[in-house]
Amino acid sequence: MAKIENLLEGGQGSLGNLVLYKMNGKYYIRSKPAQYKDKKSPAQLAQRQRLQVMNSFLRAFREPIRVTFASEAVGRSALQAAQSYNMLSALAGEYPDIYVNKNKVLLSRGTLPLPVSATLTVLPEGLLIEWENDADAAARHPHDTLVVMAKSSKTDSVDFRFTEARRSDGRYTWKPALPSGKDSLPDLWIAFRNLQQTEMSDSLFVG
């Protein structure tokens, strides 16, 4: 139904496939959008789920990603850069069971070296992270600082810290502000940032 108050001044409402409306003191007429059924192909449904799975996972890390993916944010946001990379590299499974491969996901991107290995031990005072550097990284990048990022597998909440622990320290104990207990250990990634805070390493899934 359309209500016409004055033919010269216009009206508001709908008439057939036309919509009459007022905006900024002026009257306009537009056609109604065509109705259609959104029938997606299996490939389109799979791609939609891939986007949903990755966006849901990375959205919780958007704060650290602003820093850890900054080098990739050329003409786009750091979060978009992280989404683009991980969509290609870190999804597994087939529709409708697509999931994030934690071992392949990158929460940081850069050219600084990663440790040769890293381990995680649960202690009463927190999570003990230990890593081993190769000789070249130890000599050339001893002052890089540790970045830790954790995600609760139960609540999907995230905690992170840009620490002052040096690469040369080889260990760091952290108690993330996440649900804790032997049945609710968080997933943990580490990365390194140079002392000038201008370069990052890729991230490494520790456990």
Side-chain angles (χ1 to χ4, degrees):
M1 177 183 292
K3 180 181 180 182
I4 305 296
E5 299 172 345
N6 183 298
L7 189 59
L8 298 178
E9 294 181 0
Q12 297 182 67
S14 61
L15 182 63
N17 68 336
L18 300 177
V19 177
L20 291 76
Y21 64 103
K22 183 178 181 181
M23 184 173 66
N24 299 327
K26 297 183 179 181
Y27 290 90
Y28 299 87
I29 299 176
R30 62 174 172 80
S31 60
K32 294 180 180 178
Q35 300 296 317
Y36 62 94
K37 293 183 179 179
D38 184 15
K39 294 183 178 179
K40 298 293 185 182
S41 69
Q44 289 173 317
L45 290 171
Q47 182 64 10
R48 176 182 289 178
Q49 189 185 46
R50 287 168 62 86
L51 283 167
Q52 291 172 340
V53 168
M54 185 52 65
N55 289 345
S56 176
F57 178 85
L58 289 177
R59 193 179 299 118
F61 290 98
R62 61 186 178 276
E63 289 301 322
I65 280 175
R66 289 177 184 176
V67 176
T68 59
F69 255 84
S71 65
E72 304 295 306
V74 179
R76 55 184 175 174
S77 71
L79 182 59
Q80 288 172 331
Q83 290 168 336
S84 178
Y85 177 86
N86 285 291
M87 283 284 293
L88 293 173
S89 304
L91 288 173
E94 299 293 335
Y95 178 80
D97 299 311
I98 296 171
Y99 61 94
V100 173
N101 184 331
K102 299 170 188 176
N103 285 293
K104 292 187 176 181
V105 71
L106 285 190
L107 299 177
S108 175
R109 191 85 167 111
T111 58
L112 293 179
L114 279 171
V116 174
S117 62
T119 60
L120 181 65
T121 306
V122 181
L123 301 176
E125 59 269 29
L127 304 176
L128 172 61
I129 307 158
E130 297 179 286
W131 60 90
E132 180 183 352
N133 300 303
D134 65 28
D136 182 66
R140 296 176 58 192
H141 303 275
H143 303 302
D144 292 348
T145 55
L146 177 71
V147 180
V148 288
M149 295 169 279
K151 187 175 191 291
S152 169
S153 57
K154 285 196 172 183
T155 66
D156 286 338
S157 53
V158 163
D159 194 14
F160 65 93
R161 181 175 296 178
F162 291 88
T163 78
E164 295 182 1
R166 302 291 179 93
R167 182 189 293 271
S168 56
D169 293 340
R171 54 173 16 206
Y172 179 73
T173 302
W174 181 42
K175 191 169 187 177
L178 297 172
S180 60
K182 62 181 181 179
D183 296 325
S184 58
L185 291 176
D187 298 319
L188 180 73
W189 290 261
I190 65 171
F192 286 91
R193 182 168 65 160
N194 69 346
L195 200 57
Q196 295 76 27
Q197 302 182 3
T198 57
E199 295 182 66
M200 294 292 309
S201 73
D202 287 352
S203 63
L204 176 66
F205 180 62
V206 182

